[in-house]
Amino acid sequence: MSGKKNVLLVKSGGEAAIDEWRSHFAHFAATESPESAALDVRWWNDASVAPEDVAYALVWQPDPGRLAALPNLRLILSTAAGADHITSDPTWPRHVPLIRAVTPEAAQRMGEYVSMAALALLRDLKRSVRQQAARRWDSFETERSATDTCVGILGLGTMGVRSAEMVRGLGFRTIGWSRSRKAIDGIDCHAGNDALPGFLAQCDILVCLLPATPETDGILSAERLATLPRGAALVHVGRGSHMKFDDLREALDSGHLSGAFVDVFETEPLPADHPAWTHEKIVVTSHNAAIASRRMRARFFAAQIAAFERGETPVGVYDAVRGY
Ligand code: NDP
Ligand code: OXD
């Protein structure tokens, strides 16, 4: 890193988080990634930063046009695993490498969320919560155990593989689906569009962990939800663009689906009057299924900046052809 073009502009966690980011980046420059040592970590709207001095931008939902206005930008760092919050800006500078957050911590947290949701759906936790609110003692039985329940995971990337391993560890029969075929111990792996109908027909609990791309847009359509076994449940942790909420609501209200955990929506934040909030078969979470700590994201990005400075290829580079 040379000259003065070493500003890392950060839009993640708000201005209040900037001191924490600065201290984590300083720590990892001193301990693990010396090539990132000259970084000058600044808040996104810091008026004292000259656009030509910005070398790196670590962002969540950057204001459209802002990245394109940074003439010496060397890397775009997505603070999330998905990159759609950046690539949805038609002006994003495609010649600048875009790095997605890939941390074992986020994958672990996603695995915890998916495990929690699968067990809660299996044991109808919402019913117990309703009973407690009504002070009603009703020792109901649920039909299945994990061992006779199939969890199917759409997307076998960093998030999907760890989630598959963790639900498999709970005893669920576990299957997965991806674009290219995988071989994962204990997981029955399917690949490609032709395999999707047969895959869905087996899923008692379907988990969506796909990226938002033109190919995955609307992938959880009403027609596809209808091909799940009657009584199946959904854990939607992919992206809002994968599903229309009304299709889920109809599948739940008709009794075809039995329940859902939904972490991502077509509109976020979810409006206060949205029907998902009060639906008795839905658990809503606020797109927080797998947020890695700032410390671990700083460690990951310091390492990728250092690799880039050494002329190596960083981990997590967004591929514009695949769209993820
Ligand atoms: P990866 O890029 O590591 O994995 C993506 C997976 O999806 C790969 O297995 C890929 O297949 C598969 N895939 C992509 N397109 C298709 C397709 N058209 N058909 C079949 N399979 C496809 O991403 P991550 O695991 O890190 O994250 C996945 C997504 O999860 C993110 O993009 C985001 O949408 C969501 N996410 C949500 C979070 C939340 O808090 N709700 C947190 C983190 C992620 P292949 O292996 O063949 O390339
Ligand atoms: C995401 C994330 O991509 O939180 O949703 O990492």
Side-chain angles (χ1 to χ4, degrees), residues 8 10 18-33 36-37 39-41 56 58 77 294-295 297-305:
L8 166 63
V10 179
I18 202 69
D19 287 343
E20 187 185 344
W21 283 115
R22 193 172 287 127
S23 110
H24 292 318
F25 274 104
H27 171 78
F28 290 112
T31 55
E32 298 182 3
S33 302
S36 71
L39 286 178
D40 178 7
V41 179
Y56 304 101
L58 170 59
L77 310 168
R294 291 192 187 112
R295 181 179 163 79
R297 280 179 286 167
R299 179 187 203 183
F300 172 77
F301 287 119
Q304 304 329 307
I305 289 171

PDB file of all heavy atoms in Angstrom, residues 8 10 18-33 36-37 39-41 56 58 77 294-295 297-305:
ATOM      1  N   LEU A   8     -10.242   3.366   3.989  1.00  0.00           N
ATOM      2  CA  LEU A   8     -11.286   2.331   3.964  1.00  0.00           C
ATOM      3  C   LEU A   8     -12.560   3.009   4.449  1.00  0.00           C
ATOM      4  O   LEU A   8     -12.665   3.385   5.620  1.00  0.00           O
ATOM      5  CB  LEU A   8     -10.916   1.165   4.886  1.00  0.00           C
ATOM      6  CG  LEU A   8     -12.053   0.180   5.215  1.00  0.00           C
ATOM      7  CD1 LEU A   8     -12.548  -0.538   3.960  1.00  0.00           C
ATOM      8  CD2 LEU A   8     -11.594  -0.838   6.242  1.00  0.00           C
ATOM      9  N   VAL A  10     -16.406   2.975   5.472  1.00  0.00           N
ATOM     10  CA  VAL A  10     -17.258   1.923   6.039  1.00  0.00           C
ATOM     11  C   VAL A  10     -18.699   2.400   6.146  1.00  0.00           C
ATOM     12  O   VAL A  10     -18.981   3.448   6.743  1.00  0.00           O
ATOM     13  CB  VAL A  10     -16.754   1.488   7.434  1.00  0.00           C
ATOM     14  CG1 VAL A  10     -17.667   0.413   8.012  1.00  0.00           C
ATOM     15  CG2 VAL A  10     -15.318   0.982   7.365  1.00  0.00           C
ATOM     16  N   ILE A  18     -18.077   3.002  13.946  1.00  0.00           N
ATOM     17  CA  ILE A  18     -16.806   3.229  13.238  1.00  0.00           C
ATOM     18  C   ILE A  18     -15.579   3.030  14.145  1.00  0.00           C
ATOM     19  O   ILE A  18     -14.567   2.470  13.721  1.00  0.00           O
ATOM     20  CB  ILE A  18     -16.795   4.617  12.534  1.00  0.00           C
ATOM     21  CG1 ILE A  18     -15.769   4.619  11.413  1.00  0.00           C
ATOM     22  CG2 ILE A  18     -16.611   5.752  13.478  1.00  0.00           C
ATOM     23  CD1 ILE A  18     -16.120   3.750  10.244  1.00  0.00           C
ATOM     24  N   ASP A  19     -15.688   3.424  15.410  1.00  0.00           N
ATOM     25  CA  ASP A  19     -14.527   3.234  16.301  1.00  0.00           C
ATOM     26  C   ASP A  19     -14.232   1.756  16.502  1.00  0.00           C
ATOM     27  O   ASP A  19     -13.073   1.351  16.571  1.00  0.00           O
ATOM     28  CB  ASP A  19     -14.784   3.892  17.666  1.00  0.00           C
ATOM     29  CG  ASP A  19     -14.716   5.410  17.566  1.00  0.00           C
ATOM     30  OD1 ASP A  19     -14.166   5.902  16.560  1.00  0.00           O
ATOM     31  OD2 ASP A  19     -15.228   6.084  18.485  1.00  0.00           O
ATOM     32  N   GLU A  20     -15.311   0.967  16.591  1.00  0.00           N
ATOM     33  CA  GLU A  20     -15.109  -0.484  16.757  1.00  0.00           C
ATOM     34  C   GLU A  20     -14.438  -1.077  15.510  1.00  0.00           C
ATOM     35  O   GLU A  20     -13.481  -1.839  15.617  1.00  0.00           O
ATOM     36  CB  GLU A  20     -16.457  -1.171  17.031  1.00  0.00           C
ATOM     37  CG  GLU A  20     -16.272  -2.637  17.370  1.00  0.00           C
ATOM     38  CD  GLU A  20     -17.595  -3.387  17.522  1.00  0.00           C
ATOM     39  OE1 GLU A  20     -18.659  -2.744  17.671  1.00  0.00           O
ATOM     40  OE2 GLU A  20     -17.534  -4.634  17.463  1.00  0.00           O
ATOM     41  N   TRP A  21     -14.928  -0.695  14.332  1.00  0.00           N
ATOM     42  CA  TRP A  21     -14.293  -1.187  13.099  1.00  0.00           C
ATOM     43  C   TRP A  21     -12.807  -0.807  13.092  1.00  0.00           C
ATOM     44  O   TRP A  21     -11.933  -1.619  12.776  1.00  0.00           O
ATOM     45  CB  TRP A  21     -14.965  -0.598  11.859  1.00  0.00           C
ATOM     46  CG  TRP A  21     -16.284  -1.209  11.466  1.00  0.00           C
ATOM     47  CD1 TRP A  21     -17.498  -0.579  11.462  1.00  0.00           C
ATOM     48  CD2 TRP A  21     -16.517  -2.546  10.992  1.00  0.00           C
ATOM     49  NE1 TRP A  21     -18.474  -1.444  11.023  1.00  0.00           N
ATOM     50  CE2 TRP A  21     -17.907  -2.653  10.722  1.00  0.00           C
ATOM     51  CE3 TRP A  21     -15.707  -3.646  10.768  1.00  0.00           C
ATOM     52  CZ2 TRP A  21     -18.490  -3.828  10.239  1.00  0.00           C
ATOM     53  CZ3 TRP A  21     -16.284  -4.829  10.293  1.00  0.00           C
ATOM     54  CH2 TRP A  21     -17.655  -4.911  10.040  1.00  0.00           C
ATOM     55  N   ARG A  22     -12.538   0.473  13.439  1.00  0.00           N
ATOM     56  CA  ARG A  22     -11.153   0.968  13.384  1.00  0.00           C
ATOM     57  C   ARG A  22     -10.258   0.150  14.314  1.00  0.00           C
ATOM     58  O   ARG A  22      -9.162  -0.261  13.956  1.00  0.00           O
ATOM     59  CB  ARG A  22     -11.163   2.450  13.800  1.00  0.00           C
ATOM     60  CG  ARG A  22      -9.872   3.166  13.507  1.00  0.00           C
ATOM     61  CD  ARG A  22     -10.012   4.658  13.766  1.00  0.00           C
ATOM     62  NE  ARG A  22     -10.812   5.339  12.775  1.00  0.00           N
ATOM     63  CZ  ARG A  22     -11.861   6.129  13.036  1.00  0.00           C
ATOM     64  NH1 ARG A  22     -12.261   6.323  14.283  1.00  0.00           N
ATOM     65  NH2 ARG A  22     -12.515   6.706  12.053  1.00  0.00           N
ATOM     66  N   SER A  23     -10.764  -0.122  15.499  1.00  0.00           N
ATOM     67  CA  SER A  23      -9.910  -0.843  16.448  1.00  0.00           C
ATOM     68  C   SER A  23      -9.712  -2.302  16.018  1.00  0.00           C
ATOM     69  O   SER A  23      -8.613  -2.849  16.146  1.00  0.00           O
ATOM     70  CB  SER A  23     -10.470  -0.680  17.864  1.00  0.00           C
ATOM     71  OG  SER A  23     -11.002  -1.852  18.360  1.00  0.00           O
ATOM     72  N   HIS A  24     -10.740  -2.947  15.426  1.00  0.00           N
ATOM     73  CA  HIS A  24     -10.534  -4.329  14.948  1.00  0.00           C
ATOM     74  C   HIS A  24      -9.546  -4.361  13.782  1.00  0.00           C
ATOM     75  O   HIS A  24      -8.666  -5.222  13.732  1.00  0.00           O
ATOM     76  CB  HIS A  24     -11.861  -4.947  14.497  1.00  0.00           C
ATOM     77  CG  HIS A  24     -12.829  -5.180  15.626  1.00  0.00           C
ATOM     78  ND1 HIS A  24     -12.436  -5.690  16.838  1.00  0.00           N
ATOM     79  CD2 HIS A  24     -14.177  -5.012  15.709  1.00  0.00           C
ATOM     80  CE1 HIS A  24     -13.498  -5.791  17.635  1.00  0.00           C
ATOM     81  NE2 HIS A  24     -14.558  -5.384  16.971  1.00  0.00           N
ATOM     82  N   PHE A  25      -9.692  -3.427  12.845  1.00  0.00           N
ATOM     83  CA  PHE A  25      -8.756  -3.424  11.704  1.00  0.00           C
ATOM     84  C   PHE A  25      -7.319  -3.172  12.194  1.00  0.00           C
ATOM     85  O   PHE A  25      -6.372  -3.803  11.704  1.00  0.00           O
ATOM     86  CB  PHE A  25      -9.179  -2.400  10.637  1.00  0.00           C
ATOM     87  CG  PHE A  25     -10.180  -2.955   9.658  1.00  0.00           C
ATOM     88  CD1 PHE A  25     -11.527  -2.619   9.725  1.00  0.00           C
ATOM     89  CD2 PHE A  25      -9.775  -3.852   8.667  1.00  0.00           C
ATOM     90  CE1 PHE A  25     -12.460  -3.161   8.832  1.00  0.00           C
ATOM     91  CE2 PHE A  25     -10.703  -4.388   7.762  1.00  0.00           C
ATOM     92  CZ  PHE A  25     -12.039  -4.044   7.852  1.00  0.00           C
ATOM     93  N   ALA A  26      -7.154  -2.270  13.164  1.00  0.00           N
ATOM     94  CA  ALA A  26      -5.804  -1.992  13.690  1.00  0.00           C
ATOM     95  C   ALA A  26      -5.251  -3.262  14.344  1.00  0.00           C
ATOM     96  O   ALA A  26      -4.076  -3.609  14.157  1.00  0.00           O
ATOM     97  CB  ALA A  26      -5.875  -0.848  14.699  1.00  0.00           C
ATOM     98  N   HIS A  27      -6.095  -3.965  15.086  1.00  0.00           N
ATOM     99  CA  HIS A  27      -5.640  -5.189  15.770  1.00  0.00           C
ATOM    100  C   HIS A  27      -5.162  -6.229  14.750  1.00  0.00           C
ATOM    101  O   HIS A  27      -4.074  -6.804  14.910  1.00  0.00           O
ATOM    102  CB  HIS A  27      -6.784  -5.760  16.612  1.00  0.00           C
ATOM    103  CG  HIS A  27      -6.478  -7.115  17.160  1.00  0.00           C
ATOM    104  ND1 HIS A  27      -5.658  -7.307  18.255  1.00  0.00           N
ATOM    105  CD2 HIS A  27      -6.841  -8.354  16.736  1.00  0.00           C
ATOM    106  CE1 HIS A  27      -5.532  -8.605  18.497  1.00  0.00           C
ATOM    107  NE2 HIS A  27      -6.240  -9.269  17.596  1.00  0.00           N
ATOM    108  N   PHE A  28      -5.949  -6.457  13.698  1.00  0.00           N
ATOM    109  CA  PHE A  28      -5.571  -7.525  12.760  1.00  0.00           C
ATOM    110  C   PHE A  28      -4.406  -7.094  11.844  1.00  0.00           C
ATOM    111  O   PHE A  28      -3.624  -7.948  11.413  1.00  0.00           O
ATOM    112  CB  PHE A  28      -6.792  -8.030  11.977  1.00  0.00           C
ATOM    113  CG  PHE A  28      -7.715  -8.805  12.882  1.00  0.00           C
ATOM    114  CD1 PHE A  28      -8.970  -8.331  13.215  1.00  0.00           C
ATOM    115  CD2 PHE A  28      -7.286 -10.001  13.453  1.00  0.00           C
ATOM    116  CE1 PHE A  28      -9.789  -9.028  14.089  1.00  0.00           C
ATOM    117  CE2 PHE A  28      -8.099 -10.712  14.330  1.00  0.00           C
ATOM    118  CZ  PHE A  28      -9.354 -10.229  14.650  1.00  0.00           C
ATOM    119  N   ALA A  29      -4.266  -5.776  11.626  1.00  0.00           N
ATOM    120  CA  ALA A  29      -3.075  -5.316  10.879  1.00  0.00           C
ATOM    121  C   ALA A  29      -1.823  -5.584  11.715  1.00  0.00           C
ATOM    122  O   ALA A  29      -0.775  -5.966  11.186  1.00  0.00           O
ATOM    123  CB  ALA A  29      -3.203  -3.835  10.566  1.00  0.00           C
ATOM    124  N   ALA A  30      -1.946  -5.411  13.039  1.00  0.00           N
ATOM    125  CA  ALA A  30      -0.777  -5.591  13.916  1.00  0.00           C
ATOM    126  C   ALA A  30      -0.456  -7.065  14.149  1.00  0.00           C
ATOM    127  O   ALA A  30       0.694  -7.417  14.408  1.00  0.00           O
ATOM    128  CB  ALA A  30      -1.032  -4.900  15.254  1.00  0.00           C
ATOM    129  N   THR A  31      -1.461  -7.934  14.057  1.00  0.00           N
ATOM    130  CA  THR A  31      -1.227  -9.324  14.470  1.00  0.00           C
ATOM    131  C   THR A  31      -1.174 -10.315  13.314  1.00  0.00           C
ATOM    132  O   THR A  31      -0.448 -11.297  13.375  1.00  0.00           O
ATOM    133  CB  THR A  31      -2.343  -9.787  15.433  1.00  0.00           C
ATOM    134  OG1 THR A  31      -3.615  -9.570  14.795  1.00  0.00           O
ATOM    135  CG2 THR A  31      -2.290  -9.027  16.751  1.00  0.00           C
ATOM    136  N   GLU A  32      -1.984 -10.102  12.266  1.00  0.00           N
ATOM    137  CA  GLU A  32      -2.111 -11.151  11.251  1.00  0.00           C
ATOM    138  C   GLU A  32      -1.920 -10.675   9.819  1.00  0.00           C
ATOM    139  O   GLU A  32      -1.524 -11.460   8.966  1.00  0.00           O
ATOM    140  CB  GLU A  32      -3.521 -11.789  11.322  1.00  0.00           C
ATOM    141  CG  GLU A  32      -3.822 -12.476  12.626  1.00  0.00           C
ATOM    142  CD  GLU A  32      -5.213 -13.124  12.627  1.00  0.00           C
ATOM    143  OE1 GLU A  32      -5.909 -13.073  11.595  1.00  0.00           O
ATOM    144  OE2 GLU A  32      -5.591 -13.667  13.669  1.00  0.00           O
ATOM    145  N   SER A  33      -2.296  -9.439   9.539  1.00  0.00           N
ATOM    146  CA  SER A  33      -2.351  -8.982   8.140  1.00  0.00           C
ATOM    147  C   SER A  33      -1.591  -7.668   7.972  1.00  0.00           C
ATOM    148  O   SER A  33      -2.199  -6.614   7.729  1.00  0.00           O
ATOM    149  CB  SER A  33      -3.814  -8.809   7.712  1.00  0.00           C
ATOM    150  OG  SER A  33      -4.513 -10.013   7.865  1.00  0.00           O
ATOM    151  N   SER A  36      -2.240  -4.725   5.574  1.00  0.00           N
ATOM    152  CA  SER A  36      -3.398  -3.830   5.699  1.00  0.00           C
ATOM    153  C   SER A  36      -3.122  -2.704   6.696  1.00  0.00           C
ATOM    154  O   SER A  36      -4.015  -1.932   7.034  1.00  0.00           O
ATOM    155  CB  SER A  36      -4.636  -4.633   6.130  1.00  0.00           C
ATOM    156  OG  SER A  36      -4.509  -5.061   7.481  1.00  0.00           O
ATOM    157  N   ALA A  37      -1.858  -2.574   7.147  1.00  0.00           N
ATOM    158  CA  ALA A  37      -1.546  -1.674   8.275  1.00  0.00           C
ATOM    159  C   ALA A  37      -1.798  -0.196   7.981  1.00  0.00           C
ATOM    160  O   ALA A  37      -2.096   0.566   8.886  1.00  0.00           O
ATOM    161  CB  ALA A  37      -0.106  -1.876   8.713  1.00  0.00           C
ATOM    162  N   LEU A  39      -4.208   1.232   6.546  1.00  0.00           N
ATOM    163  CA  LEU A  39      -5.608   1.616   6.323  1.00  0.00           C
ATOM    164  C   LEU A  39      -6.025   2.776   7.218  1.00  0.00           C
ATOM    165  O   LEU A  39      -5.730   2.780   8.409  1.00  0.00           O
ATOM    166  CB  LEU A  39      -6.538   0.433   6.643  1.00  0.00           C
ATOM    167  CG  LEU A  39      -6.601  -0.725   5.652  1.00  0.00           C
ATOM    168  CD1 LEU A  39      -7.539  -1.791   6.196  1.00  0.00           C
ATOM    169  CD2 LEU A  39      -7.063  -0.230   4.293  1.00  0.00           C
ATOM    170  N   ASP A  40      -6.755   3.697   6.628  1.00  0.00           N
ATOM    171  CA  ASP A  40      -7.317   4.818   7.384  1.00  0.00           C
ATOM    172  C   ASP A  40      -8.843   4.589   7.361  1.00  0.00           C
ATOM    173  O   ASP A  40      -9.495   4.821   6.348  1.00  0.00           O
ATOM    174  CB  ASP A  40      -6.913   6.116   6.659  1.00  0.00           C
ATOM    175  CG  ASP A  40      -7.479   7.349   7.323  1.00  0.00           C
ATOM    176  OD1 ASP A  40      -8.072   7.224   8.410  1.00  0.00           O
ATOM    177  OD2 ASP A  40      -7.324   8.443   6.729  1.00  0.00           O
ATOM    178  N   VAL A  41      -9.380   4.078   8.465  1.00  0.00           N
ATOM    179  CA  VAL A  41     -10.786   3.638   8.498  1.00  0.00           C
ATOM    180  C   VAL A  41     -11.696   4.823   8.790  1.00  0.00           C
ATOM    181  O   VAL A  41     -11.576   5.460   9.848  1.00  0.00           O
ATOM    182  CB  VAL A  41     -10.970   2.522   9.558  1.00  0.00           C
ATOM    183  CG1 VAL A  41     -12.428   2.070   9.615  1.00  0.00           C
ATOM    184  CG2 VAL A  41     -10.040   1.343   9.269  1.00  0.00           C
ATOM    185  N   TYR A  56     -10.722   1.433  -0.493  1.00  0.00           N
ATOM    186  CA  TYR A  56     -11.565   0.279  -0.159  1.00  0.00           C
ATOM    187  C   TYR A  56     -12.889   0.787   0.391  1.00  0.00           C
ATOM    188  O   TYR A  56     -12.925   1.812   1.083  1.00  0.00           O
ATOM    189  CB  TYR A  56     -10.891  -0.595   0.913  1.00  0.00           C
ATOM    190  CG  TYR A  56      -9.519  -1.054   0.480  1.00  0.00           C
ATOM    191  CD1 TYR A  56      -8.375  -0.420   0.968  1.00  0.00           C
ATOM    192  CD2 TYR A  56      -9.378  -2.091  -0.424  1.00  0.00           C
ATOM    193  CE1 TYR A  56      -7.121  -0.812   0.547  1.00  0.00           C
ATOM    194  CE2 TYR A  56      -8.135  -2.489  -0.851  1.00  0.00           C
ATOM    195  CZ  TYR A  56      -7.006  -1.850  -0.361  1.00  0.00           C
ATOM    196  OH  TYR A  56      -5.776  -2.247  -0.792  1.00  0.00           O
ATOM    197  N   LEU A  58     -16.221  -0.829   2.545  1.00  0.00           N
ATOM    198  CA  LEU A  58     -16.876  -1.953   3.228  1.00  0.00           C
ATOM    199  C   LEU A  58     -18.318  -1.529   3.460  1.00  0.00           C
ATOM    200  O   LEU A  58     -18.578  -0.611   4.251  1.00  0.00           O
ATOM    201  CB  LEU A  58     -16.165  -2.226   4.561  1.00  0.00           C
ATOM    202  CG  LEU A  58     -16.837  -3.209   5.523  1.00  0.00           C
ATOM    203  CD1 LEU A  58     -17.011  -4.578   4.882  1.00  0.00           C
ATOM    204  CD2 LEU A  58     -16.028  -3.324   6.809  1.00  0.00           C
ATOM    205  N   LEU A  77     -15.991  -4.298  -0.560  1.00  0.00           N
ATOM    206  CA  LEU A  77     -16.124  -5.360   0.429  1.00  0.00           C
ATOM    207  C   LEU A  77     -17.577  -5.392   0.897  1.00  0.00           C
ATOM    208  O   LEU A  77     -18.072  -4.409   1.458  1.00  0.00           O
ATOM    209  CB  LEU A  77     -15.184  -5.083   1.605  1.00  0.00           C
ATOM    210  CG  LEU A  77     -13.730  -4.762   1.207  1.00  0.00           C
ATOM    211  CD1 LEU A  77     -12.938  -4.224   2.391  1.00  0.00           C
ATOM    212  CD2 LEU A  77     -13.047  -6.001   0.621  1.00  0.00           C
ATOM    213  N   ARG A 294     -18.428  -7.977  14.208  1.00  0.00           N
ATOM    214  CA  ARG A 294     -17.554  -7.037  13.466  1.00  0.00           C
ATOM    215  C   ARG A 294     -16.113  -7.502  13.555  1.00  0.00           C
ATOM    216  O   ARG A 294     -15.348  -7.367  12.600  1.00  0.00           O
ATOM    217  CB  ARG A 294     -17.697  -5.619  14.052  1.00  0.00           C
ATOM    218  CG  ARG A 294     -19.053  -5.054  13.750  1.00  0.00           C
ATOM    219  CD  ARG A 294     -19.183  -3.558  14.029  1.00  0.00           C
ATOM    220  NE  ARG A 294     -20.580  -3.238  13.851  1.00  0.00           N
ATOM    221  CZ  ARG A 294     -21.416  -2.881  14.831  1.00  0.00           C
ATOM    222  NH1 ARG A 294     -20.973  -2.710  16.057  1.00  0.00           N
ATOM    223  NH2 ARG A 294     -22.683  -2.672  14.575  1.00  0.00           N
ATOM    224  N   ARG A 295     -15.737  -8.043  14.688  1.00  0.00           N
ATOM    225  CA  ARG A 295     -14.357  -8.514  14.869  1.00  0.00           C
ATOM    226  C   ARG A 295     -13.991  -9.556  13.809  1.00  0.00           C
ATOM    227  O   ARG A 295     -12.953  -9.452  13.161  1.00  0.00           O
ATOM    228  CB  ARG A 295     -14.236  -9.107  16.282  1.00  0.00           C
ATOM    229  CG  ARG A 295     -12.879  -9.605  16.622  1.00  0.00           C
ATOM    230  CD  ARG A 295     -12.876 -10.137  18.065  1.00  0.00           C
ATOM    231  NE  ARG A 295     -11.725 -10.973  18.296  1.00  0.00           N
ATOM    232  CZ  ARG A 295     -10.505 -10.519  18.532  1.00  0.00           C
ATOM    233  NH1 ARG A 295     -10.289  -9.221  18.566  1.00  0.00           N
ATOM    234  NH2 ARG A 295      -9.499 -11.341  18.711  1.00  0.00           N
ATOM    235  N   ARG A 297     -15.561 -10.163  10.941  1.00  0.00           N
ATOM    236  CA  ARG A 297     -15.603  -9.609   9.581  1.00  0.00           C
ATOM    237  C   ARG A 297     -14.364  -8.757   9.316  1.00  0.00           C
ATOM    238  O   ARG A 297     -13.773  -8.811   8.239  1.00  0.00           O
ATOM    239  CB  ARG A 297     -16.889  -8.809   9.370  1.00  0.00           C
ATOM    240  CG  ARG A 297     -18.081  -9.729   9.067  1.00  0.00           C
ATOM    241  CD  ARG A 297     -19.360  -8.954   8.894  1.00  0.00           C
ATOM    242  NE  ARG A 297     -19.871  -8.480  10.173  1.00  0.00           N
ATOM    243  CZ  ARG A 297     -20.826  -7.569  10.331  1.00  0.00           C
ATOM    244  NH1 ARG A 297     -21.360  -7.005   9.264  1.00  0.00           N
ATOM    245  NH2 ARG A 297     -21.244  -7.215  11.530  1.00  0.00           N
ATOM    246  N   ALA A 298     -13.921  -7.992  10.313  1.00  0.00           N
ATOM    247  CA  ALA A 298     -12.698  -7.190  10.133  1.00  0.00           C
ATOM    248  C   ALA A 298     -11.508  -8.113   9.896  1.00  0.00           C
ATOM    249  O   ALA A 298     -10.654  -7.843   9.045  1.00  0.00           O
ATOM    250  CB  ALA A 298     -12.457  -6.310  11.357  1.00  0.00           C
ATOM    251  N   ARG A 299     -11.464  -9.221  10.621  1.00  0.00           N
ATOM    252  CA  ARG A 299     -10.356 -10.164  10.437  1.00  0.00           C
ATOM    253  C   ARG A 299     -10.340 -10.697   8.996  1.00  0.00           C
ATOM    254  O   ARG A 299      -9.294 -10.727   8.347  1.00  0.00           O
ATOM    255  CB  ARG A 299     -10.542 -11.334  11.417  1.00  0.00           C
ATOM    256  CG  ARG A 299      -9.471 -12.350  11.286  1.00  0.00           C
ATOM    257  CD  ARG A 299      -9.778 -13.562  12.130  1.00  0.00           C
ATOM    258  NE  ARG A 299      -8.549 -14.262  12.435  1.00  0.00           N
ATOM    259  CZ  ARG A 299      -8.501 -15.396  13.110  1.00  0.00           C
ATOM    260  NH1 ARG A 299      -9.596 -15.931  13.579  1.00  0.00           N
ATOM    261  NH2 ARG A 299      -7.352 -15.977  13.323  1.00  0.00           N
ATOM    262  N   PHE A 300     -11.553 -11.087   8.529  1.00  0.00           N
ATOM    263  CA  PHE A 300     -11.661 -11.623   7.172  1.00  0.00           C
ATOM    264  C   PHE A 300     -11.242 -10.570   6.138  1.00  0.00           C
ATOM    265  O   PHE A 300     -10.431 -10.841   5.246  1.00  0.00           O
ATOM    266  CB  PHE A 300     -13.096 -12.103   6.915  1.00  0.00           C
ATOM    267  CG  PHE A 300     -13.342 -12.486   5.485  1.00  0.00           C
ATOM    268  CD1 PHE A 300     -12.882 -13.702   4.989  1.00  0.00           C
ATOM    269  CD2 PHE A 300     -14.016 -11.635   4.622  1.00  0.00           C
ATOM    270  CE1 PHE A 300     -13.078 -14.047   3.653  1.00  0.00           C
ATOM    271  CE2 PHE A 300     -14.227 -11.974   3.289  1.00  0.00           C
ATOM    272  CZ  PHE A 300     -13.753 -13.193   2.809  1.00  0.00           C
ATOM    273  N   PHE A 301     -11.764  -9.348   6.279  1.00  0.00           N
ATOM    274  CA  PHE A 301     -11.482  -8.347   5.247  1.00  0.00           C
ATOM    275  C   PHE A 301     -10.034  -7.840   5.323  1.00  0.00           C
ATOM    276  O   PHE A 301      -9.430  -7.544   4.279  1.00  0.00           O
ATOM    277  CB  PHE A 301     -12.498  -7.204   5.314  1.00  0.00           C
ATOM    278  CG  PHE A 301     -13.849  -7.617   4.803  1.00  0.00           C
ATOM    279  CD1 PHE A 301     -14.972  -7.582   5.606  1.00  0.00           C
ATOM    280  CD2 PHE A 301     -13.981  -8.071   3.494  1.00  0.00           C
ATOM    281  CE1 PHE A 301     -16.212  -7.991   5.123  1.00  0.00           C
ATOM    282  CE2 PHE A 301     -15.221  -8.479   3.001  1.00  0.00           C
ATOM    283  CZ  PHE A 301     -16.335  -8.437   3.821  1.00  0.00           C
ATOM    284  N   ALA A 302      -9.470  -7.755   6.519  1.00  0.00           N
ATOM    285  CA  ALA A 302      -8.052  -7.374   6.618  1.00  0.00           C
ATOM    286  C   ALA A 302      -7.206  -8.409   5.879  1.00  0.00           C
ATOM    287  O   ALA A 302      -6.264  -8.059   5.148  1.00  0.00           O
ATOM    288  CB  ALA A 302      -7.632  -7.270   8.084  1.00  0.00           C
ATOM    289  N   ALA A 303      -7.562  -9.673   6.042  1.00  0.00           N
ATOM    290  CA  ALA A 303      -6.807 -10.737   5.363  1.00  0.00           C
ATOM    291  C   ALA A 303      -6.971 -10.645   3.842  1.00  0.00           C
ATOM    292  O   ALA A 303      -6.013 -10.872   3.095  1.00  0.00           O
ATOM    293  CB  ALA A 303      -7.263 -12.103   5.874  1.00  0.00           C
ATOM    294  N   GLN A 304      -8.169 -10.297   3.385  1.00  0.00           N
ATOM    295  CA  GLN A 304      -8.383 -10.219   1.925  1.00  0.00           C
ATOM    296  C   GLN A 304      -7.684  -8.984   1.338  1.00  0.00           C
ATOM    297  O   GLN A 304      -7.136  -9.039   0.238  1.00  0.00           O
ATOM    298  CB  GLN A 304      -9.881 -10.205   1.576  1.00  0.00           C
ATOM    299  CG  GLN A 304     -10.682 -11.380   2.107  1.00  0.00           C
ATOM    300  CD  GLN A 304      -9.881 -12.664   2.203  1.00  0.00           C
ATOM    301  OE1 GLN A 304      -9.255 -13.114   1.233  1.00  0.00           O
ATOM    302  NE2 GLN A 304      -9.892 -13.282   3.382  1.00  0.00           N
ATOM    303  N   ILE A 305      -7.703  -7.870   2.081  1.00  0.00           N
ATOM    304  CA  ILE A 305      -6.974  -6.678   1.622  1.00  0.00           C
ATOM    305  C   ILE A 305      -5.481  -7.005   1.552  1.00  0.00           C
ATOM    306  O   ILE A 305      -4.795  -6.675   0.575  1.00  0.00           O
ATOM    307  CB  ILE A 305      -7.249  -5.476   2.562  1.00  0.00           C
ATOM    308  CG1 ILE A 305      -8.697  -4.992   2.380  1.00  0.00           C
ATOM    309  CG2 ILE A 305      -6.263  -4.335   2.297  1.00  0.00           C
ATOM    310  CD1 ILE A 305      -9.159  -3.968   3.402  1.00  0.00           C
TER     311      ILE A 305
END
